Amino acid sequence: MQDKDKKILPPLADMKSVYLHVPFCARLCGYCRFYKLRPTNEAVDLYLEALEAEARFRRERGDLQGPFDTVYWGGGTPAALSEAKLARAAEILGLQPLREWTVEVAPSSINKSKLALLKSLGVNRISLGIQSFSKKTLSALGRPHPAEAAARAVDDILSVGFEKFSVDLIFGVGGQTLEDFRSDILAAAGTGASHISAYCLEFENGTSNCPGRGKTPDEASREADFMTLAMRLLPELGFRQYEISNYAKDGCECLHNRITWAMGSWLGFGPAAASQWGASRFKNPSDINAWADMQAGHTERKFEDVVPLDDDELFSSALIFGLRTSGGVDLMRLKMRYPRADSERYAPSIALLERENFLEVSTLRNPCGYEISKILRLTEKGRLNADAVAVELL
Ligand code: SF4
């Protein structure tokens, strides 16, 4: 986004997004924690039929009124659908976001014609799940695409004219060395991408191996080395770290994610899709049949993981997710936004995290000595231990 656009953006917390979960993948990767299944004709037809019913339900409730700032199609692999089915999904939702429409694709799931179709629908950002350019790392991950597929996918994205695209990289894979990861970072930066995400490998059992969590000290320190490499090298290549795992060229940050981290509103469609909408946060059933039965009215409309959104919940989430961003959080602004939150309960943890050099606090006072802003930001040590910081604050 250009500077002129930045000036007219409303506050992120006031923005609205739609997330569509497309749960289909040609091959199911063992390490993946997302809800996914194979795209059989029967499953895809069931999906589109249930999506239509879900969109109708939301439309009747008035939830789809007014403009949305962003739309994000994730998965799964949305591009595992045929062109006709992708067009049908877009038609069902009938949304043209104001600012950003991202679709996740895998190198082996796209070609020029499918990308041209996405562009014609209004998609203006592609997120390409490359994970690695190294044959060794890809085969350790059991990834379906050959290393050469990434280069072809990048050529197709550029030739179709997408100005914004993101490349996902993964680290912490068995056998992957720091040198391997350095080569991946250089190759990703060399594609012409405007955005790079670098994630720790996470296993399906939910064990995160981001530095420190559920790991031996040796493993945690090895993964911290990977993260440190990304945090040092990517900025040298022109990609600013704007969140723990995300780096972008100026103005190319993912707006959709920024809205969710700032506690804006998002409405999820599809099985396993999460929403933060109205007075609660909730999730659709993580099973296509249970979700479709619910849309067809065969079962009660029952969501999973329902969390009421009061000021305490929103303050806590905005603090924890905001701290993961390079801009940090302004405590004064959070207190004004969520005045009924018990914000004082965080004071001892914030003081401890500052003393231990996980956090830095900058306070701005007016000429009368009153605090007008208090910005909390993670230090490098804090960014390497973001999960531990979150646990301390919870
Ligand atoms: S990692 Fe991507 S391609 Fe593999 S199963 Fe998960 S969503 Fe599908």
Side-chain angles (χ1 to χ4, degrees):
M1 202 162 294
Q2 303 297 310
D3 276 352
K4 64 178 170 49
D5 297 325
K6 276 186 188 167
K7 287 191 194 115
I8 56 166
L9 281 186
L12 293 166
D14 294 339
M15 291 196 190
K16 287 196 309 184
S17 299
V18 157
Y19 173 74
L20 173 66
H21 190 76
V22 187
F24 302 108
C25 294
R27 208 169 121 180
L28 309 183
C29 309
Y31 62 89
C32 174
R33 65 192 163 87
F34 297 112
Y35 175 64
K36 71 274 177 189
L37 67 159
R38 285 183 207 280
T40 60
N41 289 338
E42 198 188 12
V44 171
D45 287 347
L46 177 67
Y47 174 77
L48 289 172
E49 196 182 307
L51 182 62
E52 197 172 357
E54 187 169 40
R56 196 179 317 118
F57 166 74
R58 288 293 170 195
R59 211 162 267 126
E60 283 167 8
R61 280 175 46 111
D63 291 334
L64 286 178
Q65 268 170 17
F68 283 79
D69 294 282
T70 63
V71 169
Y72 194 105
W73 287 11
T77 313
L81 295 179
S82 68
E83 288 177 36
K85 305 292 182 189
L86 287 168
R88 180 75 191 117
E91 183 186 39
I92 289 170
L93 289 177
L95 295 168
Q96 275 302 329
L98 286 178
R99 309 173 202 284
E100 183 185 278
W101 181 351
T102 301
V103 174
E104 288 180 357
V105 305
S108 48
S109 68
I110 45 160
N111 53 42
K112 249 187 231 173
S113 160
K114 212 177 254 190
L115 285 160
L117 168 88
L118 291 174
K119 194 153 195 294
S120 75
L121 294 173
V123 175
N124 60 5
R125 187 172 180 276
I126 294 290
S127 176
L128 179 60
I130 286 182
Q131 320 305 349
S132 173
F133 293 84
S134 139
K135 282 201 168 88
K136 180 180 77 174
T137 308
L138 286 171
S139 93
L141 283 169
R143 289 290 294 185
H145 63 269
E148 305 74 50
R152 187 200 42 79
V154 167
D155 282 350
D156 289 348
I157 289 169
L158 292 171
S159 73
V160 167
F162 282 102
E163 284 167 16
K164 288 187 179 178
F165 75 95
S166 177
V167 166
D168 278 7
L169 294 179
I170 208 159
F171 62 84
V173 181
Q176 187 186 29
T177 63
L178 278 178
E179 224 16 75
D180 294 335
F181 188 47
R182 177 190 297 276
S183 304
D184 275 344
I185 290 175
L186 292 172
T191 59
S194 53
H195 185 285
I196 295 176
S197 301
Y199 297 107
C200 302
L201 178 63
E202 290 193 20
F203 292 94
E204 196 147 28
N205 64 10
T207 312
S208 160
N209 67 353
C210 286
R213 191 150 44 132
K215 288 275 150 177
T216 65
D218 271 3
E219 286 166 330
S221 125
R222 180 173 165 268
E223 282 148 14
D225 289 345
F226 280 95
M227 250 184 101
T228 306
L229 173 63
M231 289 191 328
R232 303 264 157 87
L233 183 54
L234 278 162
E236 283 173 22
L237 298 166
F239 294 84
R240 189 178 70 91
Q241 183 179 26
Y242 71 101
E243 196 264 351
I244 300 283
S245 309
N246 289 286
Y247 301 78
K249 291 190 176 157
D250 261 359
C252 297
E253 298 83 5
C254 175
L255 182 61
H256 181 83
N257 285 342
R258 291 181 66 216
I259 293 171
T260 62
W261 300 327
M263 298 301 112
S265 303
W266 63 93
L267 189 57
F269 289 83
S275 302
Q276 175 158 295
W277 196 252
S280 56
R281 193 179 293 143
F282 53 91
K283 203 173 143 201
N284 280 342
S286 301
D287 175 275
I288 192 167
N289 293 309
W291 166 74
D293 280 348
M294 188 167 111
Q295 306 311 329
H298 298 152
T299 55
E300 198 189 333
R301 194 169 288 277
K302 218 167 157 205
F303 298 103
E304 296 172 358
D305 305 338
V306 180
V307 178
L309 293 177
D310 56 16
D311 276 13
D312 270 320
E313 176 59 37
L314 287 166
F315 186 100
S316 160
S317 301
L319 176 64
I320 286 162
F321 285 97
L323 274 177
R324 294 177 60 90
T325 65
S326 60
V329 288
D330 183 343
L331 264 194
M332 309 297 286
R333 199 177 283 182
L334 277 196
K335 284 181 190 177
M336 278 193 287
R337 188 159 186 105
Y338 308 114
R340 287 179 294 277
D342 177 13
S343 52
E344 289 313 309
R345 85 174 176 87
Y346 299 96
S349 296
I350 290 171
L352 173 74
L353 290 165
E354 188 184 9
R355 249 189 343 266
E356 302 279 330
N357 191 33
F358 288 97
L359 264 189
E360 55 193 18
V361 181
S362 20
T363 305
L364 197 68
R365 294 177 189 277
N366 69 9
C368 304
Y370 292 111
E371 285 183 2
I372 51 174
S373 87
K374 190 169 191 169
I375 311 273
L376 312 185
R377 278 196 196 88
L378 292 183
T379 58
E380 182 171 305
K381 180 179 172 188
R383 277 180 277 156
L384 289 171
N385 294 280
D387 287 340
V389 171
V391 168
E392 174 58 37
L393 289 168
L394 276 172

PDB file of all heavy atoms in Angstrom, residues 63 67 96 105 134 176 203 244 247-248 314 316 319 336 394:
ATOM      1  N   ASP A  63     -24.994  -9.760   8.295  1.00  0.00           N
ATOM      2  CA  ASP A  63     -23.556  -9.755   8.579  1.00  0.00           C
ATOM      3  C   ASP A  63     -22.701  -9.390   7.366  1.00  0.00           C
ATOM      4  O   ASP A  63     -21.550  -9.010   7.514  1.00  0.00           O
ATOM      5  CB  ASP A  63     -23.113 -11.144   9.081  1.00  0.00           C
ATOM      6  CG  ASP A  63     -23.666 -11.441  10.462  1.00  0.00           C
ATOM      7  OD1 ASP A  63     -23.929 -10.480  11.212  1.00  0.00           O
ATOM      8  OD2 ASP A  63     -23.849 -12.634  10.786  1.00  0.00           O
ATOM      9  N   PRO A  67     -19.033  -2.515   3.396  1.00  0.00           N
ATOM     10  CA  PRO A  67     -17.798  -2.981   2.779  1.00  0.00           C
ATOM     11  C   PRO A  67     -16.888  -3.718   3.768  1.00  0.00           C
ATOM     12  O   PRO A  67     -16.900  -3.435   4.963  1.00  0.00           O
ATOM     13  CB  PRO A  67     -17.134  -1.671   2.325  1.00  0.00           C
ATOM     14  CG  PRO A  67     -17.706  -0.618   3.211  1.00  0.00           C
ATOM     15  CD  PRO A  67     -19.056  -1.089   3.662  1.00  0.00           C
ATOM     16  N   GLN A  96     -16.354  -7.812  -2.719  1.00  0.00           N
ATOM     17  CA  GLN A  96     -15.194  -7.133  -3.308  1.00  0.00           C
ATOM     18  C   GLN A  96     -14.583  -6.297  -2.192  1.00  0.00           C
ATOM     19  O   GLN A  96     -15.108  -5.250  -1.842  1.00  0.00           O
ATOM     20  CB  GLN A  96     -15.620  -6.225  -4.472  1.00  0.00           C
ATOM     21  CG  GLN A  96     -15.738  -6.918  -5.811  1.00  0.00           C
ATOM     22  CD  GLN A  96     -14.449  -7.609  -6.268  1.00  0.00           C
ATOM     23  OE1 GLN A  96     -13.356  -7.154  -5.955  1.00  0.00           O
ATOM     24  NE2 GLN A  96     -14.572  -8.705  -6.985  1.00  0.00           N
ATOM     25  N   VAL A 105      -1.804 -20.136  -2.273  1.00  0.00           N
ATOM     26  CA  VAL A 105      -1.643 -21.151  -3.319  1.00  0.00           C
ATOM     27  C   VAL A 105      -0.396 -21.983  -3.023  1.00  0.00           C
ATOM     28  O   VAL A 105       0.507 -21.516  -2.342  1.00  0.00           O
ATOM     29  CB  VAL A 105      -1.517 -20.512  -4.734  1.00  0.00           C
ATOM     30  CG1 VAL A 105      -2.690 -19.587  -5.044  1.00  0.00           C
ATOM     31  CG2 VAL A 105      -0.216 -19.751  -4.889  1.00  0.00           C
ATOM     32  N   SER A 134      14.927 -25.991  -1.176  1.00  0.00           N
ATOM     33  CA  SER A 134      15.903 -27.084  -1.141  1.00  0.00           C
ATOM     34  C   SER A 134      15.205 -28.445  -1.252  1.00  0.00           C
ATOM     35  O   SER A 134      14.242 -28.718  -0.522  1.00  0.00           O
ATOM     36  CB  SER A 134      16.695 -26.986   0.168  1.00  0.00           C
ATOM     37  OG  SER A 134      16.902 -28.249   0.725  1.00  0.00           O
ATOM     38  N   GLN A 176      17.859 -29.735   8.362  1.00  0.00           N
ATOM     39  CA  GLN A 176      18.063 -28.406   7.747  1.00  0.00           C
ATOM     40  C   GLN A 176      19.159 -27.666   8.531  1.00  0.00           C
ATOM     41  O   GLN A 176      19.114 -27.589   9.748  1.00  0.00           O
ATOM     42  CB  GLN A 176      16.743 -27.630   7.831  1.00  0.00           C
ATOM     43  CG  GLN A 176      16.732 -26.305   7.101  1.00  0.00           C
ATOM     44  CD  GLN A 176      15.419 -25.536   7.366  1.00  0.00           C
ATOM     45  OE1 GLN A 176      14.805 -25.691   8.419  1.00  0.00           O
ATOM     46  NE2 GLN A 176      15.015 -24.724   6.419  1.00  0.00           N
ATOM     47  N   PHE A 203       4.136 -29.246  14.559  1.00  0.00           N
ATOM     48  CA  PHE A 203       3.650 -30.594  14.306  1.00  0.00           C
ATOM     49  C   PHE A 203       2.166 -30.703  14.583  1.00  0.00           C
ATOM     50  O   PHE A 203       1.593 -29.909  15.309  1.00  0.00           O
ATOM     51  CB  PHE A 203       4.429 -31.604  15.158  1.00  0.00           C
ATOM     52  CG  PHE A 203       5.848 -31.702  14.719  1.00  0.00           C
ATOM     53  CD1 PHE A 203       6.829 -30.942  15.328  1.00  0.00           C
ATOM     54  CD2 PHE A 203       6.184 -32.487  13.642  1.00  0.00           C
ATOM     55  CE1 PHE A 203       8.132 -31.003  14.898  1.00  0.00           C
ATOM     56  CE2 PHE A 203       7.493 -32.551  13.208  1.00  0.00           C
ATOM     57  CZ  PHE A 203       8.478 -31.804  13.838  1.00  0.00           C
ATOM     58  N   ILE A 244       6.535 -11.122  14.507  1.00  0.00           N
ATOM     59  CA  ILE A 244       7.532 -12.158  14.799  1.00  0.00           C
ATOM     60  C   ILE A 244       7.906 -12.984  13.565  1.00  0.00           C
ATOM     61  O   ILE A 244       9.075 -13.215  13.296  1.00  0.00           O
ATOM     62  CB  ILE A 244       7.003 -13.115  15.895  1.00  0.00           C
ATOM     63  CG1 ILE A 244       6.711 -12.367  17.189  1.00  0.00           C
ATOM     64  CG2 ILE A 244       7.956 -14.285  16.122  1.00  0.00           C
ATOM     65  CD1 ILE A 244       7.899 -12.003  18.005  1.00  0.00           C
ATOM     66  N   TYR A 247       7.746 -10.495   7.430  1.00  0.00           N
ATOM     67  CA  TYR A 247       8.668  -9.472   6.939  1.00  0.00           C
ATOM     68  C   TYR A 247       8.106  -8.936   5.626  1.00  0.00           C
ATOM     69  O   TYR A 247       7.605  -9.702   4.806  1.00  0.00           O
ATOM     70  CB  TYR A 247      10.042 -10.085   6.656  1.00  0.00           C
ATOM     71  CG  TYR A 247      10.685 -10.747   7.865  1.00  0.00           C
ATOM     72  CD1 TYR A 247      10.277 -12.010   8.298  1.00  0.00           C
ATOM     73  CD2 TYR A 247      11.698 -10.103   8.573  1.00  0.00           C
ATOM     74  CE1 TYR A 247      10.862 -12.612   9.413  1.00  0.00           C
ATOM     75  CE2 TYR A 247      12.291 -10.699   9.691  1.00  0.00           C
ATOM     76  CZ  TYR A 247      11.872 -11.956  10.095  1.00  0.00           C
ATOM     77  OH  TYR A 247      12.443 -12.543  11.187  1.00  0.00           O
ATOM     78  N   ALA A 248       8.206  -7.608   5.435  1.00  0.00           N
ATOM     79  CA  ALA A 248       7.636  -7.055   4.199  1.00  0.00           C
ATOM     80  C   ALA A 248       8.436  -5.867   3.714  1.00  0.00           C
ATOM     81  O   ALA A 248       9.087  -5.163   4.501  1.00  0.00           O
ATOM     82  CB  ALA A 248       6.194  -6.612   4.456  1.00  0.00           C
ATOM     83  N   LEU A 314     -10.579  -8.647  25.183  1.00  0.00           N
ATOM     84  CA  LEU A 314     -10.024  -7.899  24.054  1.00  0.00           C
ATOM     85  C   LEU A 314      -8.726  -7.196  24.439  1.00  0.00           C
ATOM     86  O   LEU A 314      -7.777  -7.149  23.647  1.00  0.00           O
ATOM     87  CB  LEU A 314     -11.061  -6.886  23.535  1.00  0.00           C
ATOM     88  CG  LEU A 314     -12.213  -7.546  22.766  1.00  0.00           C
ATOM     89  CD1 LEU A 314     -13.366  -6.577  22.576  1.00  0.00           C
ATOM     90  CD2 LEU A 314     -11.733  -8.066  21.402  1.00  0.00           C
ATOM     91  N   SER A 316      -6.562  -8.193  26.725  1.00  0.00           N
ATOM     92  CA  SER A 316      -5.519  -9.218  26.842  1.00  0.00           C
ATOM     93  C   SER A 316      -5.035  -9.678  25.458  1.00  0.00           C
ATOM     94  O   SER A 316      -3.831  -9.760  25.195  1.00  0.00           O
ATOM     95  CB  SER A 316      -6.104 -10.383  27.645  1.00  0.00           C
ATOM     96  OG  SER A 316      -5.378 -11.541  27.429  1.00  0.00           O
ATOM     97  N   LEU A 319      -3.090  -6.955  23.663  1.00  0.00           N
ATOM     98  CA  LEU A 319      -1.758  -6.797  24.259  1.00  0.00           C
ATOM     99  C   LEU A 319      -0.817  -7.894  23.739  1.00  0.00           C
ATOM    100  O   LEU A 319       0.286  -7.618  23.264  1.00  0.00           O
ATOM    101  CB  LEU A 319      -1.892  -6.869  25.791  1.00  0.00           C
ATOM    102  CG  LEU A 319      -0.611  -6.818  26.600  1.00  0.00           C
ATOM    103  CD1 LEU A 319       0.097  -5.480  26.402  1.00  0.00           C
ATOM    104  CD2 LEU A 319      -0.900  -7.001  28.104  1.00  0.00           C
ATOM    105  N   MET A 336      -7.873   3.194  26.773  1.00  0.00           N
ATOM    106  CA  MET A 336      -9.004   4.024  26.328  1.00  0.00           C
ATOM    107  C   MET A 336      -9.991   3.198  25.515  1.00  0.00           C
ATOM    108  O   MET A 336     -11.189   3.366  25.593  1.00  0.00           O
ATOM    109  CB  MET A 336      -8.486   5.191  25.492  1.00  0.00           C
ATOM    110  CG  MET A 336      -7.987   6.328  26.361  1.00  0.00           C
ATOM    111  SD  MET A 336      -7.721   7.809  25.424  1.00  0.00           S
ATOM    112  CE  MET A 336      -6.267   7.434  24.516  1.00  0.00           C
ATOM    113  N   LEU A 394      -0.422 -13.886  30.435  1.00  0.00           N
ATOM    114  CA  LEU A 394      -1.787 -14.463  30.471  1.00  0.00           C
ATOM    115  C   LEU A 394      -2.316 -14.576  31.914  1.00  0.00           C
ATOM    116  O   LEU A 394      -1.573 -14.787  32.825  1.00  0.00           O
ATOM    117  CB  LEU A 394      -1.773 -15.844  29.820  1.00  0.00           C
ATOM    118  CG  LEU A 394      -1.906 -15.800  28.286  1.00  0.00           C
ATOM    119  CD1 LEU A 394      -1.697 -17.188  27.699  1.00  0.00           C
ATOM    120  CD2 LEU A 394      -3.254 -15.239  27.848  1.00  0.00           C
TER     121      LEU A 394
END
